[in-house]
Amino acid sequence: YVFSLVYNKGGAGTGASYYLNAAGKPTERYLYEFNRITSYGTWGDKVVTVSTGDSKTTDADGNIAQALLFNYLDENTGGQTEGAIDAENFLGNGEKVTFAGLEEANGKLYTSVVPMGMSRYGIGQWPDMVTDTELVAKADGGSASSSYTAGTIPSTQYPDRAWVAIYSGSSFAEKPVIVSTDKIGFACGRHRSQYYQTIWAADNGDLYVFSPGYGRTFTSSADLKKVTGTKPSGVVRIRKGATEFDPDYYVNFEQIGTQHPVFRCWHISGAHFLLQLYSDGVEGMMQGKDAVTNELAVFDAEAKTVVPVTGLPSDLAGFGGEPYGENGAMYIAVTVTGGDKPAFYKIDAATGHATKGLVIDAESVATAGKLTVRK
């Protein structure tokens, strides 16, 4: 099956599954409704969605503990199941967390663990984990995905550290190995409530962990104090089979290439990765949902070089959400401002050159994939 996943902003996630029938025609099989989607990936024969939301646990004052909520779609049957684990104090620092991306490599599952501050439940359970009482919101505030309630710490107290959880079994119920580093900030791309995957394995099994340096966007206001990060956008590495970060590996993206921070990234082949960058640098990243991210580059993780992608149209308007990789190249949907139909561009991992390919008779294209008829 191929599964479509629809975010639906703050509402429940929806989706559908499709397969190729004997005549090679895509055919819808099932429709789904499940927990809100903020990140997703695969684990074994399951497509997994994840978000953080209310659990069934409350304290004496009625404050609700937060949980990591999972939805599993079976690639063999199209079946749907759900699960949940505790998101409170997951890292031992009192904060609730979410996961950003799932990466299978070396017989294990890696996920970036993103701390999100302390809930009212968490503050009640672990008051000694509040590093500064001025960080606790005195009134409701914010809007949309940035809204918060009084009595919580709305953003992390630890913006300049990254954590990765390593699972060796087949269930999130097991206790993972958690590794951390202070060379980069937390590892995920962000747009509104979406947490984009920025941890990817190279072909040799080494795991590369990318950070945009979003902690710098946590700025205090007259109504709310926040811990502001200082770490630039960078990448670190966990060697194949290791349970610690490589102490000798670090790349600062704001010192090479166009010196712009990473928004999203994907593995192409070998140790090459496609980077989607903030076109206007750190200043642009500070614009949040209005930031421009129309710059692509190829990162060679072994050589530690960034090569800007060339060959894209001069009237570039934006990209589809997810590229498709195959045979050492990446295919990404490109839209332009001139009214032409969107087209796929093939990006060569070795040269960074993009070549125009298939034009699509549509207003926009999110991504592409490949199905084959199962014999």
Side-chain angles (χ1 to χ4, degrees), residues 83-170:
I85 61 172
D86 194 0
E88 298 280 1
N89 199 29
F90 188 92
L91 297 169
N93 59 12
E95 298 201 1
K96 63 181 181 179
V97 302
T98 194
F99 288 171
L102 307 172
E103 180 70 355
E104 294 181 272
N106 314 313
K108 302 181 185 299
L109 182 80
Y110 301 80
T111 183
S112 174
V113 184
V114 182
M116 299 192 298
M118 297 185 70
S119 67
R120 293 173 66 95
Y121 177 92
I123 291 174
Q125 295 294 312
W126 304 282
D128 57 325
M129 298 293 185
V130 178
T131 60
D132 183 350
T133 56
E134 291 299 310
L135 298 173
V136 180
K138 298 176 177 58
D140 297 353
S143 61
S145 61
S146 298
S147 63
Y148 56 87
T149 58
T152 66
I153 299 179
S155 58
T156 182
Q157 302 167 97
Y158 307 96
D160 283 341
R161 179 168 286 274
W163 290 265
V164 172
I166 307 173
Y167 288 89
S168 299
S170 58

Side-chain angles (χ1 to χ4, degrees), residues 5 7 9 36-41 48-53 66 68 87 95-103 111-117 144-147 153-156 163 186-200 210 212 214-215 217-218 263-266 278 321-322:
L5 305 175
Y7 167 47
K9 297 184 178 180
R36 188 170 73 105
I37 304 168
T38 58
S39 196
Y40 51 86
V48 184
T49 73
V50 59
S51 63
T52 299
Q66 296 297 288
L68 287 156
E95 298 201 1
K96 63 181 181 179
V97 302
T98 194
F99 288 171
L102 307 172
E103 180 70 355
T111 183
S112 174
V113 184
V114 182
M116 299 192 298
S145 61
S146 298
S147 63
I153 299 179
S155 58
T156 182
W163 290 265
F186 55 88
C188 73
R190 283 293 309 274
H191 181 68
R192 299 182 186 272
S193 293
Q194 289 293 284
Y195 289 76
Y196 295 125
Q197 177 167 332
T198 59
I199 59 171
W200 302 98
F210 299 79
Y214 279 136
T217 67
F218 298 158
F263 169 55
R264 301 186 68 180
C265 57
W266 303 269
Y278 284 96
E322 298 285 344

Side-chain angles (χ1 to χ4, degrees), residues 20 30 53 76 93 104 115 145 147 172 181 205 229 234 316-317 336 352 366:
L20 285 187
Y30 298 114
N76 297 303
N93 59 12
E104 294 181 272
S145 61
S147 63
F172 287 114
T181 178
L316 173 67
V336 295

Side-chain angles (χ1 to χ4, degrees), residues 353-374:
H353 185 70
T355 304
K356 186 177 181 179
L358 189 67
V359 176
I360 310 298
D361 186 13
E363 292 184 1
S364 64
V365 176
T367 189
K370 181 177 287 188
L371 292 174
T372 56
V373 177
R374 181 175 292 180

